[in-house]
Amino acid sequence: MDNLKELIIKTEKIKEKGWIKSEMKGTAASGKTFEKALGIEKNNFEIPDYGEIEIKTKTNSKFYTYITLFSATPDSYLYEIKRIHELYSYPYYKDKDLNVFNMSIYSNKKVYGGNNHYFKLHVDYKKEQIVLHVFNNERKIIDDNCAWSFSMIEEKVNRKLKYLLFVKAERKFEHNEVFFRYTKHQLYILKDFKSFIKAIEEGYIRVSFRINVFKDGYRYGQIHDHGTSFDIEEKNLEKIYYKLN
């Protein structure tokens, strides 16, 4: 594929440049800086970054070990995010008058979410859904209405994640500025959708809710949803991908 060859050539040139001043602040800075160096313009479309190729970068941070593959709101109910926030949110640590729901949930273990609620993903092959199970303090399921359909997830996976360029970066601070140096890269091709679902079932892929609220201003207390994402650690990429030389 011409796009693959072209992207690798450009990636090698970016690596040769050494330290590059960051385009922004925050956890997405290394990715946005790399994309800017590639000449990719910012867009809000849910498509791969470079032709058919999705690009992910990661710094050697012990705090951010997971990679966001894509965002996907549950499609079981139109206002599911609002419902989850109303039923299961918990007080924000800086302002107890505000409730948030920031949580990563897995299929291979229950996660405590405050207010005597536990959460766990369930892969339902019969209904072809990834279901969020909510348990009470007695560990009984009290809610299984939140779900992601296989068809919706498969469409996103095939559209966005068929090819992946994963780039490692180093970060440094100098004169109150952030700089990145891109050191290694690896190309991947997706195995198949069954492998993706299996990775969820075995706990390698998690679902992360980031349902916050506005902390000030005229919208104080209103929901500010930062998205619900499917994430994986770098070390587990080969659960869903083959390496390309």
Side-chain angles (χ1 to χ4, degrees), residues 197-210:
I197 293 297
K198 191 68 174 176
I200 295 174
E201 186 177 29
E202 294 177 347
Y204 295 112
I205 294 176
R206 70 183 189 183
V207 171
S208 297
F209 288 89
R210 293 184 293 275

Side-chain angles (χ1 to χ4, degrees), residues 17-191:
K17 287 183 179 180
W19 294 102
I20 301 173
K21 183 179 175 181
S22 177
E23 289 293 320
M24 59 179 289
K25 296 180 180 179
T27 57
S30 66
K32 296 301 181 184
T33 302
F34 186 79
E35 289 176 12
K36 182 74 172 181
L38 281 173
I40 297 174
E41 297 297 326
K42 181 180 178 181
N43 69 74
N44 296 318
F45 300 111
E46 205 174 44
I47 57 176
D49 298 303
Y50 197 92
E52 296 180 48
I53 310 154
E54 179 71 359
I55 301 170
K56 300 293 182 183
T57 68
K58 187 178 178 303
T59 59
N60 296 322
S61 170
K62 62 182 180 180
F63 300 108
Y64 303 105
T65 61
Y66 276 82
I67 305 157
T68 296
L69 295 171
F70 59 84
S71 295
T73 301
D75 59 349
S76 51
Y77 179 63
L78 183 60
Y79 300 108
E80 194 59 28
I81 293 299
K82 181 180 179 182
R83 188 182 75 88
I84 291 294
H85 182 266
E86 288 177 349
L87 293 177
Y88 306 117
S89 59
Y90 51 86
Y92 177 53
Y93 74 100
K94 288 185 178 180
D95 186 341
K96 300 301 181 181
D97 291 329
L98 299 175
N99 283 349
V100 299
F101 188 81
N102 294 318
M103 193 171 304
S104 295
I105 302 170
Y106 308 77
S107 284
N108 61 342
K109 61 183 178 181
K110 292 186 179 75
V111 177
Y112 181 65
N115 300 326
N116 294 320
H117 292 126
Y118 296 81
F119 301 86
K120 188 172 184 278
L121 298 178
H122 170 67
V123 178
D124 189 329
Y125 286 98
K126 186 175 181 179
K127 293 183 178 180
E128 296 191 333
Q129 291 180 325
I130 308 300
V131 184
L132 175 65
H133 281 176
V134 184
F135 301 81
N136 62 16
N137 204 35
E138 297 175 354
R139 307 302 174 90
K140 293 181 180 179
I141 296 175
I142 59 172
D143 190 340
D144 60 358
N145 295 310
C146 178
W148 299 258
S149 64
F150 278 18
S151 59
M152 183 265 283
I153 297 172
E154 184 173 17
E155 192 279 329
K156 284 180 175 284
V157 167
N158 289 335
R159 171 163 44 87
K160 192 169 174 62
L161 298 177
K162 184 177 180 181
Y163 295 98
L164 175 70
L165 175 68
F166 182 74
V167 183
K168 295 293 288 291
E170 295 177 353
R171 179 177 57 181
K172 75 173 181 178
F173 297 89
E174 194 172 280
H175 306 300
N176 294 320
E177 300 283 358
V178 179
F179 293 82
F180 294 104
R181 179 169 65 183
Y182 301 94
T183 56
K184 298 178 182 179
H185 70 271
Q186 177 63 53
L187 269 171
Y188 295 92
I189 184 169
L190 190 71
K191 290 180 178 180

